[in-house]
Amino acid sequence: MLTSETITPVNGSRVTKLILLGLTKEPTLEVLLFILFLLVYTFTLLGNVCILVIVWLSSQLHTPMYYFLTELAFLDVGLSTTFSPKLLADLLNEKRTIMLHGCITQIFLLAAFGSTEYFLLAAMAFDRYAAICNPLQYTVTMTKGLSVRLIIGSYIGGFLHSLIHAVCLYRLSFCGPDVINHFGCDYPVLLKLSCTDVSINDLVRYVFAAFVVLSSLSVTFVSYWYIVCTILKIGDAAGRRRAASTCISHFTCVFLFYGSGFLMEAQPNTNSSEEQSKVIGLIPTVIIPALNPLIYSLRNNDVKEALKKILRSTFMKH
């Protein structure tokens, strides 16, 4: 069996194709994992597309909160599609390879969709702050123009952050080994394969990742601090529950996304942690994109009511 330790360097030649070791080499387990991840990916596509269609068809959902939700659904589809099709194909294929350019593209898309989601979750937190802490001024504060600017700003920030990493990767040379002990391409794993100095890449990675996470987390934390203070000041318990219920879905998504990011970064940079990091890597790229539409559809009465109206009108026409 191939392992990252048994590959000998390819001296004097530039690596253009990489070997992915994948999740497992057990044939029976591969079939079970293929069925499981196919179901998860199908549910991810159906669930997030359903969110997009519901908001698009329901005029009562044409508000800033649901504009952000549709972008979250789009980003989840992007995150999942970056890895799931390749993962599914490799589970059925003995020869698991990926071109170096394809590997860097995977890293670029992961960083782009992931960073944009950090910024978007911060924008959604600000939206909940405006709705709960200043309800009388909400329509004045959260205009459609501001919502669009926050969404565009999230994409610009996320993709610019990702582009910087991609440019830094293209300055490196890869001479071997050519094996990645993962189901997909991951930035720190790819750096290990470089035969040139990666100190600049490490510095850029930590500086910009810290900026993305800390800036978005600061906005989210401050927003929720004021939200909690405002909710605690509400006199009746029913009012507190109503106010809190509008934030539960978003807070759950924030907890899952930041939590998975922390788990990935907290992994020690050792060979013994590679198998564990592969499992943890499935959380933000495969699992969470499937959970988000479930969280919003089960916890959000507006979405459930809009879906019921769409289904009733569809069946009545037939």
Side-chain angles (χ1 to χ4, degrees):
M1 180 185 297
L2 284 173
T3 65
S4 56
E5 288 82 7
T6 60
I7 301 299
T8 56
V10 184
N11 293 323
S13 62
R14 181 176 173 83
V15 172
T16 59
K17 184 183 292 186
L18 301 169
I19 299 171
L20 297 173
L21 295 185
L23 291 172
T24 181
K25 282 288 186 178
E26 295 294 330
T28 303
L29 186 55
E30 285 178 338
V31 173
L32 293 175
L33 288 176
F34 175 82
I35 296 172
L36 174 62
F37 291 135
L38 178 60
L39 291 174
V40 171
Y41 183 53
T42 302
F43 182 82
T44 299
L45 294 180
L46 292 177
N48 285 289
V49 169
C50 187
I51 292 288
L52 292 169
V53 172
I54 290 172
V55 174
W56 180 52
L57 294 178
S58 305
S59 57
Q60 69 269 27
L61 299 183
H62 292 178
T63 61
M65 175 181 175
Y66 295 103
Y67 294 149
F68 294 134
L69 179 57
T70 57
E71 297 304 323
L72 181 65
F74 174 77
L75 291 172
D76 283 337
V77 170
L79 267 175
S80 184
T81 303
T82 298
F83 286 94
S84 292
K86 177 63 175 170
L87 172 61
L88 291 170
D90 286 346
L91 285 170
L92 298 180
N93 192 354
E94 186 69 24
K95 192 176 181 181
R96 302 165 180 173
T97 61
I98 184 170
M99 300 302 294
L100 179 61
H101 293 306
C103 190
I104 295 177
T105 299
Q106 232 183 24
I107 293 172
F108 169 79
L109 292 175
L110 172 63
F113 290 127
S115 300
T116 303
E117 191 155 330
Y118 276 118
F119 290 129
L120 186 68
L121 288 172
M124 295 173 77
F126 176 75
D127 172 74
R128 291 300 82 206
Y129 157 78
I132 294 174
C133 299
N134 298 288
L136 298 179
Q137 298 293 320
Y138 178 71
T139 56
V140 177
T141 303
M142 289 303 299
T143 61
K144 184 177 181 179
L146 177 60
S147 303
V148 171
R149 287 194 295 272
L150 288 174
I151 291 171
I152 293 175
S154 297
Y155 277 97
I156 291 175
F159 276 78
L160 183 61
H161 168 242
S162 180
L163 182 62
I164 291 170
H165 287 315
V167 170
C168 288
L169 282 175
Y170 272 114
R171 61 174 284 275
L172 301 178
S173 295
F174 297 89
C175 311
D178 59 352
V179 172
I180 295 180
N181 187 15
H182 211 282
F183 62 85
C185 292
D186 189 38
Y187 195 91
V189 175
L190 186 60
L191 289 186
K192 291 181 182 179
L193 305 184
S194 175
C195 53
T196 50
D197 181 32
V198 298
S199 57
I200 294 178
N201 294 73
D202 280 327
L203 178 62
V204 169
R205 176 191 171 214
Y206 286 116
V207 169
F208 282 91
F211 170 76
V212 170
V213 174
L214 292 178
S215 61
S216 58
L217 185 59
S218 298
V219 173
T220 302
F221 178 80
V222 172
S223 297
Y224 270 100
W225 173 264
Y226 282 105
I227 287 171
V228 170
C229 292
T230 301
I231 290 175
L232 292 177
K233 293 177 183 178
I234 299 176
D236 61 296
R240 286 196 296 270
R241 283 195 298 270
R242 282 195 302 273
S245 66
T246 66
C247 300
I248 290 177
S249 297
H250 174 258
F251 183 79
T252 304
C253 291
V254 168
F255 177 79
L256 290 173
F257 198 71
Y258 278 93
S260 64
F262 174 78
L263 285 176
M264 290 181 67
E265 291 300 325
Q267 290 298 301
N269 192 20
T270 61
N271 291 330
S272 61
S273 67
E274 288 182 348
E275 297 302 319
Q276 186 177 358
S277 68
K278 285 193 286 187
V279 177
I280 294 175
L282 291 169
I283 299 175
T285 58
V286 178
I287 306 302
I288 291 180
L291 291 178
N292 282 348
L294 192 63
I295 292 169
Y296 271 96
S297 61
L298 290 180
R299 298 293 313 179
N300 193 297
N301 290 327
D302 291 338
V303 172
K304 288 189 285 187
E305 288 301 318
L307 178 59
K308 290 177 183 177
K309 288 182 180 180
I310 293 172
L311 292 176
R312 278 198 299 266
S313 62
T314 301
F315 286 120
M316 286 177 64
K317 289 180 181 179
H318 294 82

